[in-house]
Amino acid sequence: MSNPSAIQAVLDRAVADGVFPGAVVAVRRGDKPSARFYAGRLSTDPPGAAVLASTVYDLASLTKPLATVTALVLLIQNGRCRLDACVAEYLKECAETPIGSATLRDLLTHQSGLPGWRGYYERLSPDGRTPSSKEERLLAKQKVLDLIRSEGSVYTRAARSLYSDLGFMLLGLIVERTSGLSLNEFFLIHIAHRLGSPPIQFVLSEETHTFRERQGEPHGGVAPTEFDPWRGRLLCGEVHDQNAGAMGGEAGHAGLFGNVDAVMTITGEWLRAYHGQTAILDRDLVREFTRRQANDGISSWALGWDTPSKPSSAGSYFSAQSFGHLGYTGTSIWIDPVQRLEVVLLSNRVHPSSRNEAIREFRPVIHDLISREFLV
């Protein structure tokens, strides 16, 4: 690495320019230790403590690849799921519905015909109260399943791609049905525990207060997101995504919280498996899950992972074999298996308001800079 101060300077400038209140970036090349950069504060309103490398962020849609997709790979390699099996095989309630005949592959490539988003949380809980027990979460998830299976197709399956939270809500439910565990339990037992229990987890509604206390100073704190009018409070240690909130903080599309080292524990496992090194994941499945599935330009999606399109949030230097994902709260992962480069960016760009979209321009800039500094 030729000039680490250049990366720090760009991060500091982004804070000064209001791209986000604070952020942490981790970069790892091959088997070398990761380099970490951090800047800013946990919050601006009210002013928060300084961000540390250990600061915990709401990972938002990074939940999709880190938890749900990783879980599915484990279930497939254990013979519990099949990529080309239909949804109705695992969720019997979906038989005789449009989504029932879609495959897991259709859901993972966002080509299932489902709409991208629905505000189910308003129907599940008009008063903003979130489930606070396992029984309440099961009830809420059943209602979500009923709502999704009632959806008609909004486009012809496989004719196009429409990024869909709904598809990943179903995939989370499929993980639960096939494993007999809640998504949180599966993640803790079969992923986090096997990787040394890094600080990454779903935060269930009833655990928010103790989670915040446990992560407080001197541990780096938890970065807040924004004031949610539905729940009537500033969210901190409580999932930003409202549908995930209505499911109790545990869903296939959102809900994970973690720090940058914990995220890298899982990304490193994917990269090791990709290269056939010792890992909890199967090499051939990892290669399939990270391969762009559509050869006709319909979509840049692999299976639950995205690949670089033009222009890409990964910038200009990541290889075509790269895979990654973005999170709405201001998070991202990009992994280049050819150059063995991993970049994780965690921020709370939605604080104090999600109307701030300056991160769109920042992401390719920081990835290009990192590529120049680490790959030259």
Side-chain angles (χ1 to χ4, degrees), residues 309-320:
S309 47
K310 292 186 179 179
S312 172
S313 61
S316 308
Y317 298 103
F318 276 66
S319 71

Side-chain angles (χ1 to χ4, degrees), residues 223-256:
T225 51
E226 65 181 328
F227 181 86
D228 176 18
W230 172 60
R231 281 169 279 194
R233 54 186 172 269
L234 174 69
L235 303 177
C236 183
E238 184 176 8
V239 64
H240 178 265
D241 183 275
Q242 292 158 319
N243 283 331
M247 295 167 75
E250 175 189 44
H253 68 296
L256 274 189

Side-chain angles (χ1 to χ4, degrees), residues 77-374:
Q77 59 191 51
N78 291 333
R80 305 286 290 278
C81 281
R82 291 181 298 113
L83 263 178
D84 295 304
C86 293
V87 169
E89 188 173 321
Y90 304 107
L91 302 172
K92 305 299 185 191
E93 298 94 329
C94 293
E96 311 300 322
T97 70
I99 195 58
S101 56
T103 64
L104 272 60
R105 190 184 298 269
D106 292 327
L107 295 177
L108 287 160
T109 52
H110 299 281
Q111 295 183 42
S112 69
L114 280 172
W117 185 85
R118 290 281 192 259
Y120 293 146
Y121 65 96
E122 295 173 309
R123 296 163 73 174
L124 264 64
S125 177
D127 62 359
R129 185 181 170 278
T130 56
S132 57
S133 68
K134 186 167 187 175
E135 292 70 31
E136 289 183 356
R137 279 190 292 280
L138 284 169
L139 195 60
K141 289 173 186 176
Q142 189 61 50
K143 289 179 181 175
V144 165
L145 176 56
D146 291 343
L147 289 165
I148 297 176
R149 73 187 183 96
S150 301
E151 296 281 356
S153 296
V154 296
Y155 61 93
T156 303
R157 188 180 306 148
R160 56 175 285 213
S161 174
L162 178 65
Y163 180 76
S164 177
D165 277 355
L166 276 58
F168 266 81
M169 291 178 196
L170 286 182
L171 288 168
L173 296 173
I174 287 169
V175 169
E176 295 189 333
R177 287 283 179 92
T178 54
S179 70
L181 299 170
S182 72
L183 196 56
N184 175 53
E185 290 167 339
F186 188 96
F187 181 79
L188 289 175
I189 295 167
H190 295 287
I191 300 172
H193 180 70
R194 293 174 71 185
L195 300 180
S197 299
I200 182 169
Q201 66 176 94
F202 289 92
V203 180
L204 307 178
S205 295
E206 65 268 29
E207 296 175 355
T208 297
H209 182 69
T210 54
F211 176 74
R212 277 202 309 261
E213 284 187 339
R214 206 166 57 243
Q215 304 297 334
E217 294 184 58
H219 302 292
V222 181
T225 51
E226 65 181 328
F227 181 86
D228 176 18
W230 172 60
R231 281 169 279 194
R233 54 186 172 269
L234 174 69
L235 303 177
C236 183
E238 184 176 8
V239 64
H240 178 265
D241 183 275
Q242 292 158 319
N243 283 331
M247 295 167 75
E250 175 189 44
H253 68 296
L256 274 189
F257 284 75
N259 66 26
V260 76
D261 287 346
V263 173
M264 278 212 147
T265 301
I266 301 177
T267 62
E269 200 70 6
W270 276 84
L271 188 55
R272 277 189 296 278
Y274 187 99
H275 288 291
Q277 297 171 283
T278 302
I280 65 172
L281 304 174
D282 175 79
R283 175 189 178 274
D284 292 340
L285 278 173
V286 164
R287 292 276 180 124
E288 176 66 10
F289 268 74
T290 57
R291 177 182 65 82
R292 183 180 289 201
Q293 296 290 303
N295 297 318
D296 49 13
I298 285 178
S299 164
S300 61
W301 285 98
L303 295 173
W305 290 98
D306 203 1
T307 65
S309 47
K310 292 186 179 179
S312 172
S313 61
S316 308
Y317 298 103
F318 276 66
S319 71
Q321 290 76 28
S322 299
F323 53 98
H325 210 287
L326 306 184
Y328 183 80
T329 50
T331 58
S332 64
I333 295 166
W334 278 106
I335 302 167
D336 187 334
V338 176
Q339 304 181 100
R340 296 190 69 197
L341 180 68
E342 301 162 74
V343 181
V344 176
L345 165 65
L346 303 183
S347 84
N348 56 337
R349 69 98 197 162
V350 294
H351 178 85
S353 169
S354 56
R355 289 190 295 273
N356 175 13
E357 296 188 350
I359 199 168
R360 287 175 183 266
E361 293 180 18
F362 173 78
R363 278 183 172 127
V365 169
I366 193 72
H367 284 90
D368 277 349
L369 177 60
I370 288 167
S371 296
R372 289 194 296 268
E373 297 297 335
F374 278 79

